[in-house]
Structure formats: C-alpha cells, structure tokens
Amino acid sequence: MSFEYAENAHSTHSAPNTDRDDDTAMALKIVVAGGFGAGKTTLVGAVSDIRPLRTEETLSEAGQGVDDTAGVARKATSTVAMDFGRITVHAGLTLYLFGTPGQDRFWFLWDELSEGALAAVVLADPRRLEDCFAAVDYFERRRIPFVVAVNCFPGARTYAAHDVFHALDLDRGTPVVLCDARDRDSGKDVLIRTVEYAGRMHTARLLDSVR
C-alpha cells in the first residue's frame, strides 16, 4: 500500500492564525464519498491546505474481474483505505476531509470513516451516475446529511441539477451542485454548501426533538 503525501497541495493558503482564540475554533468532519473514479482523491487534494494523505495502489490485472472500470479505463490507481485533507474555510472553522475508497470490496471501511461526521459529499460521475446509488443509500439510512456534487468531466454529458436529483431519487431538499473537482474554488464552494445544509438539517432535528 502506498501512503503518499501529495506535493501539489495548496500549503500556502489559509495558514494557521496564531492570534485566534482557540475557544472559538470549530473543527468539523466531512466525508467525501462516491463511485470508483468519480474524483474523490482529486477533490480532497485540490482544496486541502495541507499536503493530503493518499493511500493509493496501482490497478493490477488481478482486479480486472472485480473492479468495474467502464468509463474510467484510463484510471491507473485507486484509493484502498482513505484520503485525508484539511481546509480552513474561514477563521474559526476548519474542515477535516476523509475520502472513502470507491470499490465495493473496500466498503467495510466506510463505517469507521463516517463515524462522527457532520455531513458528506457524494461525488457523482455524470458518465456513471448509477454508481452514486450505494453512497446515497448509505448516508440516507444513517441520517447523515449530504450534498450530491456532480463532477463535470471534460467532454462528458452535462446534466442539469434537477435532472440528477430525479435520476437519483433523492429525498426532498437534498442539494445537487455542479462542480469541477480539480478546481479549488469550485471544491470549496461545494464544502461550504455542505456545511450550510448540514447546519440546517441538524437544527431542524434538534427542534423536532424538543417539541
């Protein structure tokens, strides 16, 4: 297994503020999930303020009969444990990002990676939208708020957000956003949208519990 710290992370962005009152700091855990080859590692690496931790293995002939690479035949590596990154959205709010492995045979890791998470991003590949169903079902059953982010690959068919919403049969109110997983600003917008949605969901559940 290769535990790699990527060299192209944005380590110069959002440097720690040593003057900040630590009592006001908030750290939140966000899970980045989705199908095989949807761009999870790319998203975490693009937005992370630190060098992201990657656990990747080269795809081998042994996995050809196990992993579905239709539509992502050029993919040479795959996450086998997790991706990890960190981004400071603004002073006082830091997000810890945990990317899940995409192949079915590594789904046993999802429970541990999702423990204590505020919310999740389900990254969707428009070439293989059906790969999202497992992640959508996972977070719906565990009542973990999530946003579906459609990774707009170059040359791939473009879908409107409302079309993806209906195609995935999402619960009412679940946000669907279009993004470019390679672009830091686009990925950051997805994370902000995720935190905002999760905040509304947790507040609504708290109010329901005291009525």
Side-chain angles (χ1 to χ4, degrees), residues 165-182:
F165 177 89
H166 291 295
L168 297 178
D169 193 25
L170 299 173
D171 288 343
R172 182 178 179 182
T174 304
V176 177
V177 297
L178 306 182
C179 75
D180 182 344
R182 304 166 300 176

Side-chain angles (χ1 to χ4, degrees), residues 30-34 43 119-123 139 145-149 190-191 194:
I30 303 292
V31 176
V32 180
L43 177 65
V121 174
V122 174
L123 204 59
F139 295 116
F146 66 92
V147 167
V148 174
V190 170
L191 294 173
T194 302

Side-chain angles (χ1 to χ4, degrees), residues 9-209:
H10 307 272
S11 57
T12 60
H13 292 281
S14 303
N17 182 359
T18 56
D19 295 327
R20 185 180 67 202
D21 182 358
D22 288 339
D23 291 338
T24 65
M26 179 180 297
L28 304 174
K29 180 179 181 179
I30 303 292
V31 176
V32 180
F36 178 61
K40 300 179 294 296
T41 298
T42 300
L43 177 65
V44 172
V47 301
S48 183
D49 295 333
I50 62 173
R51 290 187 299 168
L53 171 66
R54 295 173 175 170
T55 58
E56 292 193 309
E57 283 284 357
T58 302
L59 294 176
S60 64
E61 292 183 2
Q64 290 181 356
V66 180
D67 300 324
D68 181 10
T69 59
V72 288
R74 297 177 61 183
K75 185 172 174 59
T77 61
S78 179
T79 298
V80 297
M82 70 172 187
D83 298 308
F84 174 77
R86 185 188 71 204
I87 176 173
T88 300
V89 177
H90 56 68
L93 177 58
T94 298
L95 304 181
Y96 290 93
L97 310 176
F98 291 79
T100 66
Q103 303 102 309
D104 298 3
R105 55 198 167 113
F106 295 123
W107 279 354
F108 66 91
L109 295 169
W110 283 39
D111 286 344
E112 184 171 349
L113 292 176
S114 299
E115 185 176 356
L118 171 81
V121 174
V122 174
L123 204 59
D125 183 343
R127 303 165 299 182
R128 298 154 52 112
L129 277 179
E130 65 278 5
D131 287 0
C132 286
F133 283 118
V136 167
D137 182 63
Y138 181 90
F139 295 116
E140 284 183 345
R141 284 189 285 111
R142 286 161 180 77
R143 302 187 75 221
I144 298 175
F146 66 92
V147 167
V148 174
V150 183
N151 188 11
C152 299
F153 286 90
R157 180 178 176 180
T158 301
Y159 294 91
H162 64 84
D163 291 332
V164 174
F165 177 89
H166 291 295
L168 297 178
D169 193 25
L170 299 173
D171 288 343
R172 182 178 179 182
T174 304
V176 177
V177 297
L178 306 182
C179 75
D180 182 344
R182 304 166 300 176
D183 183 76
R184 175 178 170 83
D185 289 337
S186 181
K188 186 175 179 179
D189 287 343
V190 170
L191 294 173
I192 292 173
R193 183 77 175 271
T194 302
V195 171
E196 291 174 344
Y197 175 64
R200 294 195 301 270
M201 290 294 293
H202 286 294
T203 298
R205 291 172 183 174
L206 178 62
L207 292 175
D208 287 341
S209 69

